[in-house]
Amino acid sequence: MNTEVLNGRLEPHGDGELISKVLETVVEQVRPCTSRGSVATYIPELGKQDKGLLGIAMASVQGDVWVAGDWDSPFTMQSISKVVSLGLALTEMGEERVFSRVGVDPTADPFNSIMRLEMVAPHRPQNPLINAGAIVTLSLLPYPDSHSRFAAVRDLARRLTGAMDLDMDEAVYVSERDTSDRNRALAYFLRSVGALEGDIEDILDSYFRQCSLRVNAKDLAVMGVTLASGGVNPFSGERVLSSKVCRIMRALMATCGLYDGSGEFAVRVGVPAKSGVGGGIVASVPMRYGIGTFGPALDPKGNSLGGIMMLERISKELSLRVL
Ligand code: DON
């Protein structure tokens, strides 16, 4: 059995054998479908990824981990980091202050859309998981510069994943920083309508840095189960976030986590989740499991094609649906 134990438990409890088998099988079945997707190329460094990679990891609140396929291949969090910075902002600033500046409603638009920001007054990003909302959320954090802002996000990411050496992929960071006209346009537009304050380039720098945090599928599984357990990392035993903050994060993941693909994902999988253009998806099954998937072949909405297919099958096989 391909079982990795992070801390303590050596024998998976209960459905351990079944879970292991299901993970192996879905990777095998879904892998051929990755040829139908495309890696992200608008960040040139991401375009170098092998689109045939596919991996998965699952962690339980009891502290078991199961892995299959390319679970240990490294990739960058990209938009999955928006969940981390949201958790930090909610913890440090409180719900009221954050949501006075960023909404909590899903959009039917792509993750980097600028259109509705101009059309709807007040010009407030619709939610913290689209690019505009994540940039405003970061700007609210009480840190003087990109360096300290990013260090705080990285620290929370480390404690959520249990990967205490988690850090940036320098090449991906530089690649996005040097090509991100779209996010610059979004940020300067937000400033022009009074929705974003501060040093724009400095705020964007911390955004690009957090997007380039390098993880593997197992790290995401641990992050997912920490959110599922109400904020306690079952491997380190540390309370990382409050249960109230986790509840808000899971609600936003369920409604906005896959952008304009969120509704379809809720119907097909039925579990709170967040995707990133690096190919990752983190899923959180309340009080039970966290799941991390990796498959850099994306669908047209920028979500991992193989990741969604694997999660759909696993949700059905293991009765994980909560929505
Ligand atoms: O801002 C960007 O475009 C990327 N750093 C993150 C976008 C992303 O991951 C969208 N998710 N599927």
Side-chain angles (χ1 to χ4, degrees):
M1 189 192 309
N2 194 7
T3 302
E4 161 110 347
V5 177
L6 290 174
N7 181 15
R9 297 183 62 117
L10 285 168
E11 288 303 319
H13 78 290
D15 293 332
E17 291 282 352
L18 170 68
I19 292 174
S20 216
K21 214 175 153 76
V22 169
L23 298 192
E24 294 287 350
T25 307
V26 292
V27 171
E28 206 175 298
Q29 290 175 341
V30 171
R31 202 188 286 277
C33 306
T34 57
S35 63
R36 301 208 301 258
S38 316
V39 294
T41 50
Y42 76 97
I43 299 173
E45 197 63 24
L46 294 184
K48 297 179 183 168
Q49 294 191 106
D50 172 359
K51 76 173 184 174
L53 291 172
L54 195 67
I56 189 160
M58 188 159 162
S60 72
V61 292
Q62 287 86 6
D64 309 303
V65 179
W66 303 271
V67 294
D70 302 307
W71 66 271
D72 57 350
S73 288
F75 58 93
T76 51
M77 283 183 120
Q78 298 300 332
S79 286
I80 297 169
S81 69
K82 294 168 180 170
V83 177
V84 181
S85 43
L86 172 65
L88 187 63
L90 289 170
T91 303
E92 300 217 357
M93 325 284 300
E95 192 180 342
E96 238 171 78
R97 278 178 75 189
V98 174
F99 295 137
S100 68
R101 299 288 303 279
V102 184
V104 289
D105 291 318
T107 75
D109 307 318
F111 60 86
N112 55 6
S113 178
I114 201 163
M115 181 180 64
R116 208 159 300 272
L117 288 173
E118 190 178 21
M119 284 165 54
V120 181
H123 304 288
R124 192 179 66 160
Q126 293 98 320
N127 69 67
L129 300 184
I130 54 172
N131 289 12
I135 292 166
V136 171
T137 303
L138 260 181
S139 78
L140 301 176
L141 289 171
Y143 298 95
D145 53 30
S146 172
H147 180 77
S148 52
R149 200 181 297 119
F150 167 67
V153 175
R154 182 182 55 188
D155 177 64
L156 180 55
R158 286 177 173 173
R159 292 187 293 129
L160 283 168
T161 59
M164 298 313 285
D165 57 352
L166 190 145
D167 222 327
M168 273 170 43
D169 181 318
E170 190 72 28
V172 173
Y173 157 68
V174 169
S175 183
E176 180 167 26
R177 185 196 63 192
D178 292 351
T179 57
S180 199
D181 291 347
R182 183 71 172 210
N183 283 321
R184 283 201 173 78
L186 268 175
Y188 283 102
F189 176 77
L190 287 166
R191 185 168 75 175
S192 77
V193 293
L196 179 61
E197 287 154 27
D199 179 337
I200 302 298
E201 291 299 329
D202 188 72
I203 294 162
L204 283 170
D205 186 68
S206 46
Y207 175 73
F208 301 142
R209 285 177 188 275
Q210 72 166 42
C211 286
S212 76
L213 283 170
R214 195 195 297 111
V215 290
N216 63 33
K218 185 190 71 185
D219 299 331
L220 292 187
V222 178
M223 173 175 164
V225 81
T226 302
L227 299 181
S229 77
V232 176
N233 181 326
F235 301 94
S236 66
E238 186 196 357
R239 170 162 291 286
V240 181
L241 291 170
S242 72
S243 58
K244 185 181 172 196
V245 164
C246 289
R247 184 182 51 72
I248 296 170
M249 290 161 78
R250 291 196 311 261
L252 284 162
M253 287 160 71
T255 51
C256 315
L258 275 81
Y259 313 106
D260 41 341
S262 300
E264 188 184 336
F265 185 83
V267 171
R268 285 173 61 185
V269 183
V271 169
K274 179 77 204 83
S275 64
V277 288
I281 300 179
V282 59
S284 185
V285 186
M287 305 317 294
R288 296 181 69 196
Y289 298 111
I291 308 170
T293 66
F294 172 54
L298 307 180
D299 67 15
K301 293 180 175 171
N303 299 315
S304 170
L305 191 126
I308 294 175
M309 289 180 80
M310 290 193 295
L311 287 167
E312 182 176 16
R313 286 166 195 230
I314 287 166
S315 174
K316 199 170 164 203
E317 290 278 332
L318 301 176
S319 305
L320 301 182
R321 171 177 290 283
V322 293
L323 299 170

